Amino acid sequence: MDKINLQKLKKLNNQYAVNVVEEAIQLCKPAKVTVITDSKEDITYVRELALATGEEKKLKMEGHTVHFDSYYDQGRDKANTKYLLYKDVDWGLGVNYIEKEKGLKEIYSFLDGSMRGKEMIVRFFSLGPINSVFSLKALQITDSAYVAHSEDILYRLGYEEFKRLNGSNEFFFFLHSAGRLENGVSADVDKRRIYIDLEENKVYSVNNQYAGNSLGLKKLAFRLAINKAQNEGWLAEHMFIMGVHGPENRVTYFTGAFPSACGKTSTAMIPGQTIIGDDIAYLIKIDGKVRAVNVESGIFGIIRDVNEEDDPLIYHALTTPRELIFSNVLIKEGKPYWMGMKKEIPDNGINFSGEWYKGKKDKDGNKIDPSHKNSRFTLRLNALKNIDPKADDPAGVPIKAIIYGGRDSDITVPIAESLTWEHGVFLGAIIESETTAATIGAQGVRKHNPMANLDFVSVPFMTYIKNHFRFKSGLKEVPKIYAVNYFLKDENGNYLTGKIYNKLWILWAEGRVNGEYKAIETPIGRIPKYEDLKTLFIRELNKDYTKAEYQKQFFLKLKKYLEKMEMMSKIFENIEMPAAFTEELKAQTERLRETRAKFGEDIISPFQFLDI
Ligand code: GTP
Ligand code: SPV
Ligand code: MN
């Protein structure tokens, strides 16, 4: 490290930070080390470096660049993401672990000399708003200018924040190397490893570039934060935060957890509402109320199906000059194309497989799409016209409702309000979803995904769920909890609800939170009354919502729900769970059984409950 850079590091008055950087230099052996402060010059340097190394390429539109990940590095690598632990532990959900000494030895051997001939970037960020009780600090070391640039778009600057640490080692530390590059992408993906050291708050990541694997600040910091939160009594969740806009300028803040590629961004972007964040939130109790902040300040969003008609605000941001990165889309003559953009896509160009032409197949004979299903855009939130004015408020926003959403084609109703906080925690813990392109491996496999957090929980599941039940204590205002499902299908496999309907479910919940609507009490929770939805459909969509449609969407499929409970009993049979959870599961099953006995039917129309 030269004098100037060392000086920048020393100015932080943090010996621990100096030590970890020096250790990383010794291990990775970079040709050059650059420390990035919050200054404009330093930040511009990173942006330009990403172009100079070829990790990003300029597009026609000013500020736009494209980045490609390896053909085999297009989603999170769950199999090679492991906790460094001393012995095999039982976390209930099946934890991916490697014995610490062995894991460190392996990853050190991959990191050894990984930055030879390359430049090491050292960056400081804040997870959460600047100067806020919510926020954590993070140090990222990487040899990827794309990673360092992405984090600049997605997180708040933290060099000055680090000074506030007063020398403490209370920060997260991420060491990443993209490893050997071929044509600008990680070449040794078979040696891709992401190892998490919860004791040291450190994560090592090597031989990858896809943001979910490489960016320390995103899902890697999230795992560390979940662990920290349990010990300190707050919640780190896979949640969006949004302002829901009711009548007469009323704004009510919601958070919502949906598994990857299951609706966080699309919910936070519902027309007429305001967005605070779309992926990771920290929730803390302050003065008896739940408050939350967005950990991030940008969106790493799925680009598929983003088009002028369905997502006008994101589409506008993606098609006007500004700093943004497209990843794994198709490029032709300096213009980006992706599936579902509702524009003609060229028959050839450059994409995540290199030179692409229509009909191209990979070496396994699979047809290659023009853009990857998990291709994304990296954009600052303030590029969106619907950003909420409190998006950067260090005090966060008060949360009145929490939504849990799964991807379920044949059981769960579009929206139900939990009967109690405990019932809501239970509904969150039994979310199921089908796997998507956001992770490597088979798609469409139905999996239990509690709180949409299965991939990220870094404590025993018992501890994690207990923390949710316990979170209620001391609250003067307990948020209402909703379970939603946007993915119900009819017998022909067609979606029963359009994306535009999501607005109605959310606005109904907003009304409920503010005491406006009565609801129908069913064994699985409170559902909207037909009349209220009908009024909302006319007011918001100018659409005649028929009784038949309502009935189809809100039919209570007792048999299927009971089967689901049976499956949950099996899943949790061998997992130690808090008593509150076991009680909820039992009570839920009993309510369903009683209802079936009472009506003598497996499927019940929501109208039948009105007659009770
Ligand atoms: P991550 O960024 O991976 O955490 O995902 P996310 O939860 O933010 O997912 P997002 O909102 O981007 O949605 C992912 C995909 O689901 C998109 O391709 C959407 O088109 C689709 N989707 C979202 N909402 C709906 C919906 O209401 N109905 C249907 N059919 N598809 C939806
Ligand atoms: C997710 O998979 O939940 C994402 C994308 O938000 S990534 O950051 O790659 O994990
Ligand atoms: Mn996510």
Side-chain angles (χ1 to χ4, degrees):
M1 201 172 1
D2 67 17
K3 257 193 181 156
I4 297 175
N5 283 288
L6 186 64
Q7 210 44 44
K8 284 182 181 173
L9 198 53
K10 290 216 156 145
K11 261 200 172 154
L12 297 174
N13 279 321
N14 195 310
Q15 192 53 44
Y16 183 70
V18 177
N19 294 350
V20 295
V21 173
E22 279 179 348
E23 280 165 27
I25 294 171
Q26 274 182 14
L27 177 64
C28 302
K29 306 176 179 63
K32 184 180 175 192
V33 179
T34 307
V35 176
I36 304 296
T37 66
D38 297 350
S39 81
K40 244 191 168 155
E41 285 165 88
D42 283 9
I43 290 160
T44 307
Y45 177 81
V46 172
R47 193 161 71 225
E48 284 170 0
L49 188 64
L51 291 169
T53 61
E55 286 180 276
E56 288 176 40
K57 298 216 162 40
K58 266 192 179 167
L59 296 177
K60 258 200 181 138
M61 184 106 26
E62 199 195 317
H64 293 200
T65 59
V66 63
H67 163 81
F68 292 110
D69 298 303
S70 153
Y71 186 76
Y72 301 99
D73 189 32
Q74 295 286 321
R76 279 186 285 109
D77 180 358
K78 293 203 315 189
N80 286 305
T81 303
K82 298 179 183 176
Y83 295 101
L84 294 163
L85 302 172
Y86 293 102
K87 56 178 173 18
D88 197 359
V89 290
D90 185 7
W91 282 359
L93 295 176
V95 52
N96 216 356
Y97 108 104
I98 183 161
E99 200 264 315
K100 190 162 176 174
E101 214 172 302
K102 193 174 144 202
L104 282 175
K105 210 168 145 195
E106 185 189 26
I107 203 139
Y108 272 66
S109 76
F110 291 166
L111 284 165
D112 193 356
S114 60
M115 298 188 189
R116 263 195 199 107
K118 295 205 264 181
E119 181 167 348
M120 176 192 272
I121 309 285
V122 181
R123 292 209 68 163
F124 305 88
F125 292 101
S126 173
L127 291 156
I130 302 301
N131 211 357
S132 156
V133 292
F134 288 83
S135 299
L136 303 174
K137 289 156 190 63
L139 166 56
Q140 172 83 59
I141 299 180
T142 179
D143 61 5
S144 163
Y146 159 72
V147 166
H149 180 210
S150 295
E151 287 183 333
D152 193 69
I153 297 177
L154 296 175
Y155 301 92
R156 295 157 177 114
L157 299 174
Y159 180 81
E160 295 304 320
E161 283 279 285
F162 258 69
K163 292 184 181 165
R164 292 202 187 98
L165 276 171
N166 291 321
S168 133
N169 63 357
E170 273 290 301
F171 59 84
F172 293 166
F173 164 48
F174 306 98
L175 175 56
H176 167 258
S177 170
R180 193 170 61 83
L181 300 180
E182 253 171 30
N183 303 322
V185 301
S186 296
D188 301 318
V189 283
D190 56 318
K191 292 186 183 136
R192 174 174 51 210
R193 299 288 183 275
I194 299 132
Y195 287 172
I196 302 153
D197 186 341
L198 296 169
E199 280 178 319
E200 301 278 331
N201 279 326
K202 266 189 195 177
V203 183
Y204 307 85
S205 173
V206 69
N207 294 318
N208 63 67
Q209 288 166 303
Y210 172 69
N213 297 321
S214 62
L215 263 67
L217 280 281
K218 205 165 187 34
K219 294 307 198 298
L220 309 182
F222 181 42
R223 289 180 175 88
L224 297 179
I226 288 178
N227 189 278
K228 193 173 163 66
Q230 316 308 302
N231 299 325
E232 298 172 1
W234 49 280
L235 300 177
E237 298 299 322
H238 196 191
M239 284 177 173
F240 69 75
I241 308 174
M242 71 188 290
V244 183
H245 293 244
E248 288 165 25
N249 297 326
R250 185 174 68 204
V251 185
T252 309
Y253 290 99
F254 282 38
T255 62
F258 296 60
S260 302
C262 290
K264 286 181 298 301
T265 309
S266 73
T267 305
M269 289 299 296
I270 289 175
Q273 321 309 312
T274 45
I275 183 168
I276 290 195
D278 80 327
D279 202 44
I280 306 169
Y282 292 165
L283 285 71
I284 297 188
K285 290 182 280 189
I286 299 174
D287 296 331
K289 289 183 189 166
V290 177
R291 299 188 75 90
V293 295
N294 179 18
V295 171
E296 312 183 287
S297 58
I299 300 189
F300 179 56
I302 296 172
I303 199 164
R304 190 182 179 178
D305 292 337
V306 170
N307 56 65
E308 203 162 9
E309 197 183 310
D310 302 328
D311 301 279
L313 300 181
I314 294 182
Y315 192 83
H316 171 79
L318 298 183
T319 50
T320 43
R322 72 189 66 254
E323 187 182 351
L324 70 86
I325 310 170
F326 293 93
S327 50
N328 306 318
V329 296
L330 175 71
I331 304 296
K332 174 93 190 245
E333 287 160 8
K335 283 195 190 155
Y337 297 89
W338 58 89
M339 290 187 298
M341 73 190 295
K342 293 194 179 166
K343 291 255 150 71
E344 204 174 321
I345 298 182
D347 285 347
N348 57 58
I350 305 284
N351 79 355
F352 60 106
S353 73
E355 288 277 354
W356 177 86
Y357 47 89
K358 206 172 174 175
K360 184 178 177 185
K361 290 189 174 154
D362 66 13
K363 65 175 167 40
D364 302 317
N366 302 313
K367 206 176 124 261
I368 303 173
D369 290 327
S371 59
H372 193 272
K373 289 189 179 66
N374 193 34
S375 55
R376 292 182 181 247
F377 58 87
T378 304
L379 181 73
R380 285 198 178 87
L381 266 165
N382 63 15
L384 299 176
K385 288 179 184 152
N386 60 334
I387 186 172
D388 189 275
K390 296 208 168 106
D392 287 311
D393 195 328
V397 291
I399 299 300
K400 297 274 179 69
I402 296 173
I403 301 174
Y404 290 110
R407 189 180 268 262
D408 166 347
S409 56
D410 62 354
I411 311 179
T412 318
V413 294
I415 185 160
E417 181 185 286
S418 76
L419 300 170
T420 58
W421 172 264
E422 288 75 13
H423 182 229
V425 172
F426 168 76
L427 292 178
I430 63 165
I431 290 181
E432 287 180 288
S433 90
E434 284 143 25
T435 50
T436 64
T439 55
I440 293 167
Q443 291 172 36
V445 182
R446 194 143 161 172
K447 274 195 174 160
H448 172 223
N449 193 347
M451 273 77 185
N453 241 349
L454 181 69
D455 293 355
F456 314 110
V457 170
S458 50
V459 288
F461 189 52
M462 160 95 157
T463 312
Y464 176 73
I465 290 294
K466 226 182 188 167
N467 194 32
H468 278 264
F469 282 118
R470 220 177 30 189
F471 197 63
K472 179 189 169 192
S473 83
L475 283 181
K476 284 183 274 189
E477 268 180 34
V478 181
K480 282 188 187 291
I481 301 180
Y482 295 87
V484 305
N485 179 22
Y486 300 160
F487 301 93
L488 262 186
K489 287 181 178 170
D490 65 15
E491 49 291 348
N492 303 319
N494 299 318
Y495 285 113
L496 269 178
T497 57
K499 215 163 144 181
I500 189 82
Y501 287 29
N502 300 347
K503 181 176 188 179
L504 283 297
W505 316 141
I506 302 302
L507 287 178
W508 176 77
E510 195 272 348
R512 281 288 298 168
V513 168
N514 291 292
E516 265 171 25
Y517 304 121
K518 287 216 165 71
I520 303 170
E521 190 145 327
T522 81
I524 49 106
R526 303 187 183 101
I527 61 170
K529 287 176 66 174
Y530 169 68
E531 294 74 18
D532 293 330
L533 287 182
K534 190 178 166 65
T535 313
L536 269 170
F537 267 89
I538 288 178
R539 190 182 89 196
E540 297 296 328
L541 305 179
N542 201 14
K543 181 183 153 47
D544 184 25
Y545 184 60
T546 65
K547 277 189 174 175
E549 201 176 0
Y550 168 74
Q551 185 158 264
K552 247 190 162 172
Q553 292 161 358
F554 286 91
F555 260 132
L556 201 66
K557 301 172 189 114
L558 291 174
K559 187 160 168 261
K560 290 217 161 182
Y561 267 106
L562 274 163
E563 280 165 9
K564 176 165 171 158
M565 293 313 136
E566 223 166 89
M567 204 175 88
M568 290 303 147
S569 303
K570 279 222 178 83
I571 291 175
F572 291 108
E573 202 170 48
N574 301 313
I575 306 177
E576 206 190 339
M577 289 299 286
F581 179 86
T582 317
E583 277 161 30
E584 286 300 328
L585 178 58
K586 206 172 134 215
Q588 180 66 85
T589 309
E590 265 163 30
R591 280 197 304 274
L592 287 162
R593 279 202 192 122
E594 275 166 20
T595 312
R596 188 150 75 154
K598 183 167 168 184
F599 290 91
E601 285 169 50
D602 282 334
I603 296 178
I604 299 180
S605 153
F607 290 114
Q608 279 179 265
F609 287 101
L610 288 182
D611 300 329
I612 299 175

